[in-house]
Amino acid sequence: MLSQFLAKQFIDVIQWNEPEDGVLSYRYPMQDMEIMNGGQLTVRESQMAAFLNEGRIADVFSPGLYTLTTRNLPLLTDLMNWDKAFQSPFKSDVYFFSTRQQIDQKWGTATPITIRDREFGAVRLRAFGNYAYRIADPRVFFNQVTGTRDAYFASDLDGQLRTAIVAGMTTTFANSDVSFLDMAANQGALAATINDELKPTFAGLGLELSQFVVESISLPEELQKVFDQRVGMSMVGDLGRYTLYSAAESLDLSAANTSGAAGMGMGLGAGAAVAQVLSNALKPIGIAAPTAAAQTGAAPLIDASVPDASPAAATKFCIECGKPIAERARFCSECGKPQ
């Protein structure tokens, strides 16, 4: 019984199967037990293992099957001051690291980032996408990220990596002469540039950035409206024609919203106002602005407040509101009722 109890205090086989996705490092449970000299270490594909002495990484093992002796534990042997013929069980912390790709990691700008665009000046952008990485250097990853934690997950690293990505994107945009339009049209090339910018940052954490994808670059909603208007103006080109087009649309809306005689009068008044705008806008380009009557297709209105110089000038009363109007007026200048 005593021999069986003592036998349980020694570990002769060390191996690890990842229980779930997203595990980056795992501390093998020792529970004050000792490792048998000559024991077996199994490191599977997409894994690496490290032996530690007093919190310091000594020997690192790539995938394979190993018999643990002082020969393949040279750094640990030196740290422990073992004799080369050391045969006794020994204590050491063992950490496994998952080196497989951590794929489909999401990134995005929590708030819009401001860049200086050569065409549009200061522009705020939103962007999102995904990336993939893996542990490339367990020593650096242990020293810079995990330390002596029992387990470390990809989710624990998400915030740090997203912050690094946004910082790298801002640097790339600041040093780029590419306009927003060209960025949106060349997302693949932009992703490659950001990838190169971020690789040293990932390497500083013991990681390798293997893929970086920009899925979308966009403007905040309020800026997108202004941007669309500016692009529309650029497409129109001729300001005079654009003004005429806008004025025609305004008249169509006025006509669509009329109801009854009062509405008709309001529509005619809107036509007169638009005609005045057209007159002012088109003078510099030498285009004669149409009159309100020409815009609406109605006969010219005669203003009762302006005396008619013709000999036949006379007045009459509106059949709707009773106000005096010019005798030849076809519409009342007060209520708009046809006469």
Side-chain angles (χ1 to χ4, degrees):
M1 294 294 293
L2 180 60
S3 60
Q4 292 178 354
F5 175 77
L6 292 176
K8 292 181 181 180
Q9 306 309 301
F10 303 106
I11 300 175
D12 57 0
V13 176
I14 301 175
Q15 60 181 343
W16 175 55
N17 292 319
E18 297 180 41
E20 57 183 311
D21 292 337
V23 182
L24 297 179
S25 70
Y26 174 74
R27 180 180 181 179
Y28 190 83
M30 305 301 292
Q31 299 177 350
D32 294 328
M33 294 187 293
E34 296 184 343
I35 301 171
M36 290 289 295
N37 195 312
Q40 300 292 313
L41 170 67
T42 300
V43 182
R44 292 177 170 81
E45 292 289 344
S46 75
Q47 292 180 353
M48 295 187 78
F51 281 68
L52 279 73
N53 175 58
E54 297 180 355
R56 297 171 55 190
I57 286 188
D59 300 286
V60 177
F61 294 85
S62 56
L65 176 63
Y66 302 89
T67 299
L68 301 175
T69 66
T70 55
R71 291 183 178 180
N72 55 24
L73 292 167
L75 297 180
L76 189 63
T77 298
D78 291 340
L79 291 173
M80 301 287 284
N81 295 317
W82 290 339
D83 182 87
K84 297 301 181 182
F86 180 79
Q87 297 293 326
S88 302
F90 61 93
K91 285 189 175 183
S92 176
D93 291 326
V94 180
Y95 283 82
F96 283 90
F97 299 89
S98 173
T99 59
R100 66 187 179 90
Q101 297 286 341
Q102 303 297 320
I103 62 174
D104 199 27
Q105 304 297 308
K106 304 296 184 181
W107 67 268
T109 53
T111 58
I113 59 176
T114 302
I115 67 168
R116 184 173 297 279
D117 189 272
R118 68 182 182 183
E119 293 185 19
F120 304 102
V123 176
R124 291 188 298 149
L125 299 179
R126 292 185 183 275
F128 66 87
N130 59 52
Y131 64 100
Y133 69 91
R134 69 180 189 89
I135 296 176
D137 190 333
R139 293 180 184 274
V140 175
F141 186 73
F142 177 84
N143 291 327
Q144 299 296 326
V145 181
T146 65
T148 57
R149 291 178 56 171
D150 289 339
Y152 199 88
F153 297 85
S155 58
D156 298 327
L157 200 55
D158 281 348
Q160 174 68 25
L161 295 182
R162 279 199 296 266
T163 300
I165 288 172
V166 172
M169 287 183 60
T170 304
T171 301
T172 299
F173 289 155
N175 296 330
S176 174
D177 292 332
V178 179
S179 69
F180 166 72
L181 288 176
D182 294 332
M183 288 180 188
N186 297 279
Q187 292 179 184
L190 177 62
T193 301
I194 298 174
N195 187 22
D196 294 339
E197 180 73 29
L198 293 174
K199 277 188 174 181
T201 302
F202 275 68
L205 300 175
L207 306 174
E208 178 188 67
L209 178 61
S210 53
Q211 185 180 35
F212 186 85
V213 177
V214 177
E215 294 184 32
S216 175
I217 299 177
S218 62
L219 299 172
E221 183 176 353
E222 63 276 11
L223 291 182
Q224 185 65 51
K225 292 179 180 178
V226 176
F227 178 79
D228 290 342
Q229 291 175 354
R230 182 164 181 174
V231 171
M233 290 294 293
S234 299
M235 293 175 65
V236 170
D238 188 336
L239 180 60
R241 292 181 179 273
Y242 179 75
T243 306
L244 288 171
Y245 173 74
S246 299
E249 282 195 331
S250 299
L251 290 176
D252 288 343
L253 288 174
S254 297
N257 291 326
T258 58
S259 64
M264 185 180 298
M266 293 176 63
L268 292 171
V274 172
Q276 182 63 39
V277 173
L278 285 175
S279 176
N280 295 335
L282 300 180
K283 280 179 182 179
I285 58 176
I287 300 178
T291 64
Q295 289 284 344
T296 60
L301 292 178
I302 300 177
D303 191 347
S305 64
V306 180
D308 192 345
S310 64
T315 60
K316 63 180 179 179
F317 296 95
C318 175
I319 62 176
E320 177 69 19
C321 66
K323 297 292 183 179
I325 59 175
E327 185 176 11
R328 291 184 299 170
R330 299 178 61 184
F331 296 89
C332 177
S333 60
E334 295 292 334
C335 66
K337 179 73 175 181
Q339 300 300 309

